[in-house]
């Protein structure tokens, strides 16, 4: 990237951030239109580059199916990939997409077992995905299911900014669970959660590595990482044993009977937190 492109990218990021800061829930559609128009003018910069996969078709959104799936006017059902919904996702998506022409982008258009096509959705000729808009508003969570590192980094950056500004979902003090309060986590069994805490010990049992956040291994919160997932951490330069006594943020589906567990299958589900980094936890 040239110095001119880098400067343009910085300017684009700053202007978008100012727009997001000035946005209230009632201005969701206006914000989206601003982002689309602005990024079309700055499409040559790297700012619009992440998550630009192959085009997998176009259509008009006829209706919402659920909190992150839409039905196009030709009958196709599209699931928004890369995010997990919050309480406000469906309402935000309805405002952003219903009745609009969209294009679909993904690495593969093969439907899932429910017949849904997973994709990033772009409204009109927009250069930024609807997923990124939802994350920037605090109306969704990053699911960490995207293998493309640049795309994942862009989505995480949008979520991080919304969290820093306590937008949408992040205005709720309980949006991030405290690893020291396993009962609060266990109450959300079967749900996708974000949890923060200090790893007290790292133990291996058979083909499974356990990151324990409590002294009581059976009742405390723990993260499980199978042997087949470990190479992903090694490729990211993270030795699992080095996580002992480190503060981390982990996201995933809560499982367990006695103590809550999150099974980590992708390295992107775990974020290392600096010793002086402000915590998102509000016990």
């Amino acid at each position: 990237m040239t110095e001119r492109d880098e400067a343009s990218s910085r300017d684009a990021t700053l202007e978008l951030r100012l727009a997001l800061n000035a946005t209230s829930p009632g201005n969701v559609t206006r914000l989206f239109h601003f982002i689309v128009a602005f990024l079309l003018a700055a499409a040559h910069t790297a700012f619009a580059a992440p998550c630009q996969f192959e085009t997998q078709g176009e259509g008009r959104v006829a209706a919402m199916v659920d909190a992150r799936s839409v039905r196009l006017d030709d009958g196709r059902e599209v699931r928004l990939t890369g995010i997990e919904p919050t309480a406000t996702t469906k309402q935000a998506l309805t405002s952003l997409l219903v009745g609009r022409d969209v294009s679909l982008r993904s690495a593969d258009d093969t439907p899932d077992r429910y017949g849904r096509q997973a994709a990033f959705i772009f409204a009109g000729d927009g250069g930024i995905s609807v997923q990124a808009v939802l994350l920037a508003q605090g109306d969704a969570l990053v699911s960490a299911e995207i293998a493309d590192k640049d795309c994942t980094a862009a989505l995480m950056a949008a979520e991080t900014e919304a969290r820093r500004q306590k937008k949408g979902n992040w205005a709720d003090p309980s949006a991030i669970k405290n690893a020291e309060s396993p009962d609060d986590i266990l109450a959300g069994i079967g749900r996708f959660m974000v949890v923060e805490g200090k790893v007290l010990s790292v133990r291996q049992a058979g083909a499974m590595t356990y990151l324990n956040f409590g002294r009581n291994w059976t009742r405390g919160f723990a993260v499980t990482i199978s042997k087949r997932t470990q190479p992903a951490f090694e490729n990211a330069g993270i030795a699992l044993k080095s996580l002992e006594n480190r503060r981390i943020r982990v996201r995933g589906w809560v499982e367990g009977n006695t103590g809550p567990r999150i099974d980590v299958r992708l390295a992107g589900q775990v974020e290392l937190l600096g010793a002086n980094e402000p915590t998102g936890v509000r016990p």
Side-chain angles (χ1 to χ4, degrees), residues 43-81:
H44 67 284
T45 71
F47 186 73
C51 306
Q52 298 288 327
F53 299 103
E54 294 183 17
T55 300
Q56 304 291 359
E58 299 176 343
R60 173 165 291 189
V61 176
M64 296 295 303
V65 176
D66 55 36
R68 65 168 176 181
S69 299
V70 301
R71 182 174 292 108
L72 304 184
D73 56 1
D74 60 8
R76 280 179 295 166
E77 191 171 318
V78 182
R79 173 183 174 275
L80 277 77
T81 191

Side-chain angles (χ1 to χ4, degrees), residues 51 53 81-83 120 143-149 151-152 155 266:
C51 306
F53 299 103
T81 191
I83 62 170
F120 282 89
S143 67
E145 68 181 350
I146 304 301
D148 185 275
K149 293 181 179 180
C151 181
T152 297
L155 297 179
L266 296 169

